[in-house]
Amino acid sequence: LKEFYDGIMFWEFIPHLYFLLVKFLFEIFGYTTVVARVFSAFIGIVGVYSMYLLAKEIFNKNAGLIAAALLTVNIFHISFSQEIRPYGMLFLFTVLAFYRLVIFIKKASLKNAIYYGFFAGLILNAHFFGFITLFAQYLLLLFFLIQSTKETRKTFFINSFVSGIVTLIIFLPAYEAFVRVSEIQSFWLQKPGQDAITKLFNEFFGNSELIVFVIQFVIIFYVINVFKLKEQKADYLGILKNKLLFCFIITSVWLSVSIIIPLLRSHLDVPMILSRYFINILPAIILIISAG
């Protein structure tokens, strides 16, 4: 195990969790490529079900079924469900963390806080790009904390703090690897061009002009319907009751933070725009398409 740990620390700049699980599977089923690929495929299958849970919780069962169906045939998700790399795990834990976050926002109990904190910590054990996702989630927590009533604000804050403690505890095994990543001063990636995000979006859908063309209309239709919403109380309960608005708030913060921060860092410091690092925003796009 020490040799394994030292090897990961030397060759990789990501947490150990995925590789540790693969190592144990090798011990049980033998050291073959098939064992590792089947494990990644299993993670991808669970990712489809988690996508259903998230869309159902935010919107409704129909949106959940559509989201799961779209993800099942998404070439980007299929590709990383075949690779012996942790990107499928990053996708899975991101979706599950948002699923538990949505449940926590709806009912800020201690139990829901612990569940959310646990899956948020697992994001960081899948890939350190998860820190950006975590930042987006904490912005959402802050927003709903401000929106909450005076009677519930204290409980919401305390349980949010508890979720943060749980996340920190789950993250601790990956701390040394995180220190190594933070010391990186240069990387093999080049600075992104003006069309970096466009290329990223196209790659999510196999660079198919027809698919992207259809998806753009669905997303535009979704956004138009959001802005056509009639005037209503923009309070905590009002947002939760309006599923279209609730979905828009979750996905807009999720996407904007996950895109803007890497773009700024790539131009100002170390380039970090690589399509596989952004697999954790694919669920947000699938959510928007499903709602549309």
Side-chain angles (χ1 to χ4, degrees):
L1 281 173
K2 184 181 185 305
E3 189 176 333
F4 160 81
Y5 182 84
D6 292 341
I8 299 295
M9 289 298 293
F10 181 79
W11 290 107
E12 300 287 350
F13 291 90
I14 52 180
H16 293 67
L17 180 60
Y18 175 85
F19 302 106
L20 185 63
L21 293 174
V22 170
K23 175 179 171 58
F24 284 136
L25 289 173
F26 283 157
E27 294 290 336
I28 298 170
F29 299 106
Y31 188 83
T32 68
T33 306
V34 172
V35 171
R37 288 189 182 275
V38 167
F39 176 58
S40 291
F42 175 76
I43 292 173
I45 292 168
V46 179
V48 172
Y49 180 65
S50 67
M51 193 71 239
Y52 164 77
L53 291 177
L54 176 61
K56 179 185 176 184
E57 189 65 36
I58 291 180
F59 218 77
N60 55 40
K61 184 177 180 179
N62 284 340
L65 292 171
I66 293 169
L70 290 173
L71 186 62
T72 302
V73 295
N74 180 265
I75 189 64
F76 198 79
H77 185 256
I78 292 171
S79 296
F80 287 100
S81 296
Q82 297 176 357
E83 289 201 2
I84 309 173
R85 300 293 289 172
Y87 301 108
M89 185 174 281
L90 174 62
F91 178 97
L92 172 63
F93 291 150
T94 297
V95 174
L96 289 176
F98 267 102
Y99 169 61
R100 296 310 312 190
L101 174 65
V102 169
I103 292 175
F104 175 74
I105 289 171
K106 290 181 177 180
K107 185 179 180 182
S109 66
L110 180 61
K111 175 185 173 183
N112 289 336
I114 293 172
Y115 271 122
Y116 163 63
F118 175 75
F119 285 110
L122 287 179
I123 297 177
L124 306 181
N125 277 275
H127 199 283
F128 291 131
F129 227 75
F131 272 105
I132 299 172
T133 302
L134 192 64
F135 181 64
Q137 291 177 346
Y138 284 171
L139 284 180
L140 286 167
L141 281 174
L142 178 62
F143 171 77
F144 283 102
L145 174 66
I146 294 170
Q147 289 291 326
S148 62
T149 61
K150 291 181 179 180
E151 294 79 16
T152 61
R153 191 166 297 160
K154 182 179 178 181
T155 302
F156 192 101
F157 175 79
I158 292 172
N159 288 337
S160 296
F161 185 78
V162 170
S163 73
I165 297 297
V166 173
T167 300
L168 181 63
I169 293 171
I170 301 297
F171 161 70
L172 285 177
Y175 175 74
E176 189 177 352
F178 173 69
V179 172
R180 271 182 57 85
V181 170
S182 63
E183 293 171 350
I184 294 177
Q185 299 297 323
S186 62
F187 206 41
W188 59 271
L189 290 173
Q190 301 296 316
K191 285 192 175 182
Q194 294 181 348
D195 60 347
I197 302 303
T198 303
K199 288 181 177 178
L200 176 66
F201 184 83
N202 290 339
E203 195 169 341
F204 281 157
F205 301 99
N207 293 304
S208 168
E209 291 186 5
L210 177 61
I211 294 175
V212 172
F213 179 76
V214 173
I215 285 172
Q216 285 176 338
F217 275 102
V218 175
I219 292 174
I220 290 169
F221 178 71
Y222 166 78
V223 173
I224 288 173
N225 275 277
V226 171
F227 284 93
K228 281 173 62 179
L229 290 172
K230 295 180 179 179
E231 187 177 341
Q232 63 170 42
K233 289 183 179 180
D235 58 7
Y236 192 91
L237 291 177
I239 293 171
L240 293 183
K241 287 179 180 179
N242 192 319
K243 296 178 180 180
L244 197 63
L245 179 59
F246 185 48
C247 182
F248 178 77
I249 291 171
I250 297 291
T251 53
S252 59
V253 174
W254 185 349
L255 285 171
S256 57
V257 171
S258 299
I259 292 173
I260 292 172
I261 291 179
L263 266 180
L264 288 175
R265 187 153 191 257
S266 295
H267 285 290
L268 300 176
D269 190 13
V270 180
M272 55 191 305
I273 303 295
L274 192 62
S275 60
R276 59 178 177 263
Y277 293 168
F278 287 85
I279 195 170
N280 57 345
I281 70 170
L282 179 60
I285 298 172
I286 296 289
L287 267 176
I288 292 170
I289 296 168
S290 304

